[in-house]
Amino acid sequence: MKETFVKELKKIELKSPILIEGLPGLGLVGKIAIRHLVKQSNAEKFAYIYSPHFPYFVLVSKKGNVRLLRGTFYAWKKTGKNDVILFTGDSQAQTVEGQYEISEQILNFAQKLEAKMIITIGGYRMESKGKPKVIAAATSQGLLDKALQAGAEVSPTGSPIVGTAGLILGLSHFRKVDALCLLGETRGYLPDPKSAKSVLEVLQLMLGFDAKPAGLDEEITKADKMVIRLQKIEEKRALEAEETRKEEGKKVTYIS
Amino acid sequence: MKETFVKELKKIELKSPILIEGLPGLGLVGKIAIRHLVKQSNAEKFAYIYSPHFPYFVLVSKKGNVRLLRGTFYAWKKTGKNDVILFTGDSQAQTVEGQYEISEQILNFAQKLEAKMIITIGGYRMESKGKPKVIAAATSQGLLDKALQAGAEVSPTGSPIVGTAGLILGLSHFRKVDALCLLGETRGYLPDPKSAKSVLEVLQLMLGFDAKPAGLDEEITKADKMVIRLQKIEEKRALEAEETRKEEGKKVTYIS
Amino acid sequence: MKETFVKELKKIELKSPILIEGLPGLGLVGKIAIRHLVKQSNAEKFAYIYSPHFPYFVLVSKKGNVRLLRGTFYAWKKTGKNDVILFTGDSQAQTVEGQYEISEQILNFAQKLEAKMIITIGGYRMESKGKPKVIAAATSQGLLDKALQAGAEVSPTGSPIVGTAGLILGLSHFRKVDALCLLGETRGYLPDPKSAKSVLEVLQLMLGFDAKPAGLDEEITKADKMVIRLQKIEEKRALEAEETRKEEGKKVTYIS
Amino acid sequence: MKETFVKELKKIELKSPILIEGLPGLGLVGKIAIRHLVKQSNAEKFAYIYSPHFPYFVLVSKKGNVRLLRGTFYAWKKTGKNDVILFTGDSQAQTVEGQYEISEQILNFAQKLEAKMIITIGGYRMESKGKPKVIAAATSQGLLDKALQAGAEVSPTGSPIVGTAGLILGLSHFRKVDALCLLGETRGYLPDPKSAKSVLEVLQLMLGFDAKPAGLDEEITKADKMVIRLQKIEEKRALEAEETRKEEGKKVTYIS
């Protein structure tokens, strides 16, 4: 394997599909959102993407089997005008050139499937309180407007979008495919299903999805508990460090 | 995108053009100088350079649109013998090979446009007082002499010129195009419009530009204020650190 | 040398061979196991693999001769149904792409030799007491079952297998060759012949080897002594550090 | 420039030449030795090697001219059986693959010139007292023996030789060219003309050179003075640090 390539598991007919991408990144927002859509829609796995720019390890999957890191495409056949292709994976590319190569290959495959639109999902670092906002950027004003009407806010000028979620938009410029990026606000250092939920709500309004956020709410409760637990651990650690410092102060005293 | 490439936005006729390059680097001297020339001359954007060796993120531009990192070529049609091509961009290449590749592609494009001369602009790290000097190096004695007559000083032997500004000169050796590098003295860690102004003054004398440094003087005033503000912040921080150290000394005392 | 390549030292006829791979990694488990099998079986060296992705130095071999880093294939002609190819080497690849390239080339060569099965050996980081367990993962349930019957345990789901031992399994998926990975538990920071012995015992039961672990037991005794020696050094160092701290405390006192 | 290449400045006829290589490395031993031979022999520059794997900067050369980093080949026409090609340069390659690529290109060029033997020079890290020894490794026993007879010692088994000096030997194995590596003992962190002199003495005995070490002795005197100066600076620094620690001890006391 010298280059990134897509391996199709089965031929599939899709009507005017929309590709929605979400690889791991800040707060795992994109990956959580796609995984949720896959579960809710019972979308069918139909292709993998492999690359020598993914990290050089394999994962043990169920029953002791083993697989390379990869990205997976799922087909979601819907009533209505557009079918949906969902894409997520194990990892971003590990090299600068790999990042460009993988984004190109996703675009190549999307065009082969005659995708009419591409939406990428990611996280946006922000210490937000309350409900995380969704930040949008797009390759066309029309598409951006739809996202804003669905509750997203426009991204500040000059703001960078790192990794595949950004590069796909940048590269789609040469392809004449419309592309939109939705970034959920997140602190970024823990999986953030609440941020993913905000993004999904925008998506649902935009595309008329009927996916319920049932499982997601469970994940959010778990994540909230995790944050509280980590805060307690941190507080305890800070207290102990303080104690240690006091003790050390005393030791010096006893010696003198 | 597997390789660096130039995308022309429109065909353009230029008479014996001179290419002036200034990518971001020390003190942003090159970028500030080119940006200023573009503004003053109303030069017209006519080509982009894209590369998988630029950092793997995109920038949100005006109105929530998105674009890849890139370099931009501007055409400045002048009265007189030579038109001018101005080149600047978002970033230097991120890999060793990318640095060589991008410099080669700029040279390829310059030769396609039948450029007669290339001037690269950058910063030269120096804690200078008063007006920043301009250091020059060139591929021919004749070109260097012109720069010296216009107020530049010759670069010390053995001195390195890092990045695209340097490599273009090194590589132009194989092309039989004359090239000159002008480096403005700068501390380098903050945008330095004063240094860019020094470089522009040399350029104006050399090439008979009529660009006024109006907007640049405003930037210089702002930058000077910024330096003073940063110095005050630093002084305050040093004072507080001193206080903290004293307080900590006292604490130890109370315990004993 | 722009790419990884295999250099055959002599043509060799092998009947339905099994390739067993063990490059340096955690606890050197794979390398120790292969080296031991080579010694016990008097297997014959018949090919090298070279790569520009190995580290850029050479090793001085016996009598002041010099050689590039490489991997070595050994042929072990056995009574019974299958001959065995043993593979080990000096180093893993140093780049992401190199890791994929070298694993591909090993697979290419295995298929050229009509290998029926591939077994990779490595270490699994674990602070285990008593006899190190052997963790298994495989590309087919049948092969995995054989390893479990021979005493291995199934690898936990989601566990990563890093480097060539893992990638060979991942890539063999595209080749329709069955592959198994055996990982010996090890702390990983010292050569661990005890872990290699556990792996070899599983291999012997699976493949009906008659290799005696004679020399290996000697190595284990040496390694155990080394661990005890390092522990003493560490204890002494900790004690001295404690002393130093006390002395420094006193110094402060004398001054006051 | 996408690949390393050799640029010939003039065609040159050499009789059964020996190539002697010395790029910058530990103690600059190789570069100092070659530079000295070039000076003493008035050897003539006849080819450059350029590479996108050299660092991405250019050097200002005499009179404000600029050049890419490169390696240089010099022709030394001698009475006797063999002419000599001397090779040195500005830098080693910056990437793993680049190290292999540059070593290959040097070998390609050596073979084009019908070189009969290649000698590489480098440093060997060792805190030696008195005269630095010269360590040798070779691709043939005959060549190694000649070096030993000329005063070199055989390299310990398993010892690595890093960079171009080592890779050329490793790669020459595929070319059927005899190659020898001579490493001068050096502490390595300062230019070490004394070590280079030891290597040159072995070379002179081996090849019957008549190069006088005149200029080299001057460099050695300078280097010795530099070492003494640095030691004094270091002692002063240590003393001041000690003083500071005492003062800080006192401060704590006064406060209490």
Side-chain angles (χ1 to χ4, degrees), chain D residues 25-251:
Chain D
L26 280 181
L28 288 185
V29 175
K31 179 154 185 176
I32 294 172
I34 299 296
R35 218 179 42 196
H36 180 71
L37 288 176
V38 169
K39 259 194 243 165
Q40 294 283 321
S41 65
N42 278 314
E44 183 188 15
K45 193 186 289 193
F46 73 101
Y48 292 131
I49 189 166
Y50 292 98
S51 174
H53 297 279
F54 284 143
Y56 51 85
F57 58 86
V58 293
L59 291 173
V60 177
S61 51
K62 271 167 290 181
K63 301 185 195 163
N65 206 321
V66 150
R67 63 176 187 76
L68 290 175
L69 297 198
R70 68 192 176 201
T72 306
F73 295 89
Y74 301 86
W76 177 9
K77 301 220 175 188
K78 291 178 71 223
T79 55
K81 224 175 63 187
N82 306 102
D83 286 333
V84 170
I85 304 161
L86 299 167
F87 175 76
T88 185
D90 300 306
S91 169
Q92 301 260 345
Q94 298 296 291
T95 64
V96 185
E97 303 98 312
Q99 283 276 357
Y100 279 84
E101 190 175 301
I102 286 172
S103 300
E104 286 279 12
Q105 291 301 326
I106 294 172
L107 276 166
N108 283 349
F109 191 53
Q111 287 202 295
K112 196 182 150 196
L113 298 168
E114 299 183 1
K116 296 304 167 207
M117 192 206 295
I118 298 176
I119 300 175
T120 67
I121 304 178
Y124 187 90
R125 199 185 301 279
M126 181 66 64
E127 292 285 335
S128 67
K129 286 177 180 169
K131 189 177 165 174
K133 290 181 194 162
V134 176
I135 308 297
T139 59
S140 84
Q141 191 59 41
L143 191 49
L144 184 63
D145 285 345
K146 277 188 203 156
L148 303 184
Q149 283 155 23
E153 300 189 8
V154 71
S155 171
T157 300
S159 180
I161 307 175
V162 179
T164 310
L167 287 184
I168 283 180
L169 258 73
L171 291 165
S172 68
H173 178 67
F174 304 111
R175 309 275 187 140
K176 296 174 183 163
V177 183
D178 258 12
L180 168 73
C181 178
L182 296 175
L183 303 171
E185 285 183 351
T186 177
R187 292 174 171 193
Y189 40 83
L190 285 174
D192 192 341
K194 202 180 280 179
S195 177
K197 189 181 175 185
S198 287
V199 172
L200 285 173
E201 286 171 357
V202 171
L203 269 181
Q204 284 173 18
L205 278 176
M206 276 188 74
L207 303 177
F209 282 178
D210 46 356
K212 308 284 182 311
L216 209 52
D217 283 334
E218 216 170 284
E219 275 191 59
I220 291 172
T221 312
K222 266 193 223 164
D224 283 349
K225 278 185 192 158
M226 169 69 92
V227 169
I228 289 167
R229 211 176 325 144
L230 286 176
Q231 279 169 347
K232 280 189 185 154
I233 288 171
E234 176 53 26
E235 276 165 23
K236 204 179 149 199
R237 204 201 52 75
L239 218 70
E240 284 171 0
E242 177 64 11
E243 288 297 319
T244 309
R245 240 174 302 144
K246 282 186 190 165
E247 285 304 312
E248 280 174 353
K250 282 180 194 164
K251 265 187 217 153

Side-chain angles (χ1 to χ4, degrees), chain B residues 3 96-97 99-101 104 137-139 141 144 154-163 166-167 169-171 173-174 249-250 253, chain D residues 1-2 5 7 48 50-70 94-95 97 252 255-256:
Chain B
E3 301 203 345
V96 185
E97 301 98 312
Q99 283 275 358
Y100 280 84
E101 190 175 301
E104 286 278 14
T139 59
Q141 190 60 41
L144 184 62
V154 70
S155 172
T157 299
S159 180
I161 307 175
V162 179
L167 287 184
L169 259 73
L171 291 165
H173 178 67
F174 304 111
K250 283 181 192 163
T253 319
Chain D
M1 196 195 314
K2 295 193 74 71
F5 72 96
K7 185 178 164 67
Y48 292 131
Y50 292 98
S51 174
H53 297 279
F54 284 143
Y56 51 85
F57 58 86
V58 293
L59 291 173
V60 177
S61 51
K62 271 167 290 181
K63 301 185 195 163
N65 206 321
V66 150
R67 63 176 187 76
L68 290 175
L69 297 198
R70 68 192 176 201
Q94 298 296 291
T95 64
E97 303 98 312
V252 172
I255 292 166
S256 67

Side-chain angles (χ1 to χ4, degrees), chain A residues 1-2 55-56 58 60 63-65, chain C residues 101 104 137-138 144 158-159 161 163:
Chain A
M1 193 195 317
K2 295 193 75 71
Y56 52 85
V58 294
V60 177
K63 301 184 193 164
N65 206 319
Chain C
E101 190 176 301
E104 287 278 14
L144 183 63
S159 179
I161 307 175

